[in-house]
Amino acid sequence: MSASTSAPRREHLQTLPGDDVRQVLWRFEDRYDLQMLVQSTRAVARGPVARLVAQGGRHTHDWTPEKHALLEEFDAAGITAAYLDPEEGGFLEGPKNLALALIAFELAWVDAGAATCSLATHLGLAPIHERGTPEQRRHYMSLAAPAPGRQPRRAAFALTEPIPYVGVETGLLGGKVRIAEWPEGGEPILEVNKRGRFITNMAFANFVTAAVDSADPRIKGSCMVILEEDDPGIFDRGTPTRKLVHQLSATNDPVLQLRVPASRIVGGYTVQDGVIVPNYDHSAIIEAVFRRTRVTVGLMTSAKLLSAIEPLIRYHRDRFRGAEAVPPGSPRYELGLQQKEDVTHRLVDIWAAGEASASLGFAAARLFDELDPVEREKDRVLAEQGVRGGLAVHKAMRKRQHEAIEFIEMQGHNQALRNEERYRQLASDPVIRYIVLDAQANVLCPATKLWNTGHGSVMMREAVSLMGGYGITEDCPGFLGYKWMDSQLEATYEGPEAVQRRQLSVTMTNEVFLAQFRNWIHEMRQIASVEPGTGACTLASAMHLWLWTLEHLQHARDAQGQKLYQASRHGVTFPMADALCWLLASRCQILDVEHLRREGPGRIQQGFEGTVQFLTDLCHVQAARAAGEVARICSEIVYGYLRHPSWDDSPQCSTCFAELELRQIESVVPGASGFTGDIYREDGSHDTKAGPCVRAPGLNDFARLRAKLDGCLAGALLAKDRAAESVQKVMIPAALDYPQ
Ligand SMILES: Cc1cc2nc3c(=O)[nH]c(=O)nc-3n(C[C@H](O)[C@H](O)[C@H](O)COP(=O)(O)OP(=O)(O)OC[C@H]3O[C@@H](n4cnc5c(N)ncnc54)[C@H](O)[C@@H]3O)c2cc1C
């Protein structure tokens, strides 16, 4: 049982967690370059962006000069160049996933449309960055860099098409490419026809990376092509989308009909028997692109939740100040609405969700920073072994999967008991490291996009409601009403929730991921044994229940004998994906706070103890909430597909006792009837209910785990009470620091 029931009195949070705390939590305490980037992005967000929102810049969906002026602010602050390598005009060395995540977080703290506007250029460049030829990379990435005396060239990414084509189903391409000319011995000239729907940056983009399908027997399959505004043909930016959200980004439905050389095929091509064969089809490119950019989108919603805390506390505290009947110094004057438990408890829920989603998102961003160089190294090693091309690489990796699992299992072993030489051999093998990290990334990315935005938008509604009527006005401090609406777009673009759930339902059953997940259960129990107040034990029990359920579902069937876990059965696979996200977010939150507990002393100047204790309580609150969700989802799926027993089941209710029989038992063992199930009376009638209660002998283990998990919730609400008390006591600045 959690020791938090008997914990000694704790210190309270003195001030809202500042940059020093965030840097340690999200692991950029030693990255001075990123700290500077955060500061310069923040100055743009809380200055020009916030002023434009406050002046009503969001009231038109047209792309105005005022909105356009933000692009220059992004350039000057280093936001535009943050995606580029130094030789391309950038300033950050190495992988940039965490850097872009921090930019998105800072901008979305004020306005996620501004964040989208900055990131859409990176999205437009991403196909070239991930899969472009060296020449394409050098040319277009450098063009995108701000340089003295020259406007950077800006990009857009065009996948989505007018109905009935590309949306959630990215394979249904209406955009076409055919060969217009193929001079003897020269480069083919392509004619590209692409109509886009909802294309961000299209109001000003200088070039577009567009997904198209072949409409010519001399071109194989699909590809992405780079289209420039000066190419011969039609480059019609189209009408602006009449958005209700993210009005600080430009979204249009363009019409593109252009002639371009075949060298614009992203990633290049070969000619085989007179047919152009693109090196990458459009699916391979968008997979590589989205798996990184979706993490930043998830973090936009996290920023909104955490940005809501300060305005809410201020509103609640000040609510009754100035009334004649409320003298200064009285509890009502000092605490205002914070006297009401519901108000502080709900705020704690929003805060805990914000922390968990930020922890999950930044963990995913850091994971991609770790993965990127390992991926290149893996490609190099496989190429040296003569393994090239998608299918051959895939096969080679599958063959080594069992070694990756062996490595993960060794990670979970006691160091003294494992074969250290074998362990080191596996640990230094880039192919093994890639398989392990990739399995994790394939889960963390969709989980961040799905949970941060989906659950985040639910919690943003909660934040708006805690502001009362103010919440749904344009004057709401922190622009909470706008943020609530905006979060729905974050849940939709770059693949809506169904896409993320679909991906998770496959990647979360990968044995390499599950082997890591088993280690994580153990890791949580270990943390719980040292820091029981984190809720890590509750989380471990919930993880165990989820894993049991997932394994059970692999062979379970419904009442009609149909297999439960299969791709088309969204009623089973999708909720299991949702449940996993709750667990992952809570785990990342606990790991971050444990990191802060270890690394914080000496780095955090003031109020360290109170901060760590408060964040620990938030972990506990969130772990309990996650456990509740997981228990609900798992129970519903495990029992929900069974047929409910009926009174008509033969022979006469085999599971029921006869009333007479029960009376006889009671006369021998008084009180025994309390332990029996359903009964039928002498006249054959039963209690008024649907049928005998469900008994599922094969599910005893599930029932035991579920009962254990319920008990693990002990202490969670005590943690919430403590956190709520901190919310009453924490000092906040006299006024919000934006607009500046
Ligand atoms: C403001 C904004 C900016 C955007 N920017 C860009 C951009 O820059 N570039 C770009 O290419 N696109 C962009 N998009 C498009 C965006 O990515 C798509 O809107 C999104 O992927 C959903 O596609 P859809 O609107 O056609 O929805 P639909 O495909 O019609 O889906 C509607 C709903 O149906 C359900 N559904 C559909 N298919 C399935 C399925 N197979 N399984 C289960 N459920 C399913 C889902 O619940 C889904 O949410 C933008 C959109 C907006 C609104």
Side-chain angles (χ1 to χ4, degrees), residues 157 159-160 167-169 197-198 200 243 489 494 496 498 502:
F157 174 86
L159 172 64
T160 310
V168 168
E169 297 295 348
R197 179 169 59 119
F198 303 148
T200 307
K243 285 180 294 185
L489 175 58
E494 290 206 25
R502 208 166 48 182

Side-chain angles (χ1 to χ4, degrees), residues 671-740:
S673 60
F675 296 97
T676 59
D678 296 287
I679 57 165
Y680 60 90
R681 304 191 187 95
E682 279 169 44
D683 63 359
S685 65
H686 296 96
D687 280 353
T688 329
K689 59 191 186 94
C693 286
V694 177
R695 285 157 182 241
L699 299 180
N700 285 345
D701 282 348
F702 180 84
R704 191 176 47 76
L705 289 174
R706 171 79 211 251
K708 179 179 168 195
L709 179 57
D710 287 349
C712 287
L713 296 178
L717 290 184
L718 298 174
K720 190 182 254 188
D721 279 346
R722 280 193 302 273
E725 200 184 334
S726 269
V727 164
Q728 287 176 327
K729 294 187 168 148
V730 66
M731 281 186 293
I732 57 167
L736 202 60
D737 68 349
Y738 63 94
Q740 285 171 356

Side-chain angles (χ1 to χ4, degrees), residues 13-243:
L13 183 68
Q14 289 180 13
T15 55
L16 300 176
D19 281 329
D20 50 354
V21 174
R22 295 297 178 201
Q23 286 160 12
V24 180
L25 275 177
W26 300 332
R27 325 292 164 84
F28 62 107
E29 65 265 39
D30 297 324
R31 292 282 307 269
Y32 189 62
D33 53 348
L34 297 188
Q35 293 169 19
M36 295 302 290
L37 185 61
V38 164
Q39 293 307 323
S40 63
T41 308
R42 186 174 299 167
V44 175
R46 300 184 194 197
V49 171
R51 282 199 297 275
L52 187 54
V53 176
Q55 288 158 9
R58 292 181 51 126
H59 294 170
T60 169
H61 46 257
D62 288 328
W63 190 244
T64 61
E66 293 77 21
K67 293 181 191 178
H68 198 81
L70 290 182
L71 297 176
E72 278 153 32
E73 300 284 355
F74 297 157
D75 297 343
I79 294 170
T80 311
Y83 188 58
L84 312 171
D85 284 332
E87 62 273 18
E88 297 159 348
F91 54 93
L92 291 173
E93 296 281 357
K96 297 170 183 58
N97 300 285
L98 181 57
L100 298 182
L102 287 164
I103 289 176
F105 185 89
E106 279 302 325
L107 288 172
W109 187 275
V110 176
D111 188 275
T116 295
C117 185
S118 94
L119 291 173
T121 287
H122 304 153
L123 180 64
L125 284 168
I128 303 169
H129 183 266
E130 299 305 328
R131 293 289 178 258
T133 61
E135 299 76 38
Q136 287 169 345
R137 273 194 68 148
R138 228 180 354 261
H139 180 68
Y140 289 99
M141 302 299 284
S142 308
L143 278 183
R150 176 176 69 76
Q151 283 287 320
R153 313 287 281 170
R154 307 197 196 269
F157 174 86
L159 172 64
T160 310
E161 296 176 354
I163 287 170
Y165 295 107
V166 178
V168 168
E169 297 295 348
T170 53
L172 266 179
L173 276 174
K176 298 291 177 215
V177 55
R178 53 178 65 81
I179 296 172
E181 289 170 44
W182 195 335
E184 187 70 33
E187 187 175 27
I189 301 295
L190 310 176
E191 184 178 302
V192 177
N193 271 289
K194 173 83 180 180
R195 291 169 69 93
R197 179 169 59 119
F198 303 148
I199 306 305
T200 307
N201 275 9
M202 208 50 236
F204 53 82
N206 308 105
F207 61 96
V208 179
T209 40
V212 283
D213 209 353
S214 167
D216 194 315
R218 292 169 296 165
I219 304 176
K220 188 170 178 229
S222 69
C223 61
M224 289 199 80
V225 281
I226 306 164
L227 307 173
E228 297 186 11
E229 60 184 342
D230 300 328
D231 287 328
I234 300 168
F235 191 95
D236 180 349
R237 298 179 185 280
T239 47
T241 307
R242 296 166 66 84
K243 285 180 294 185

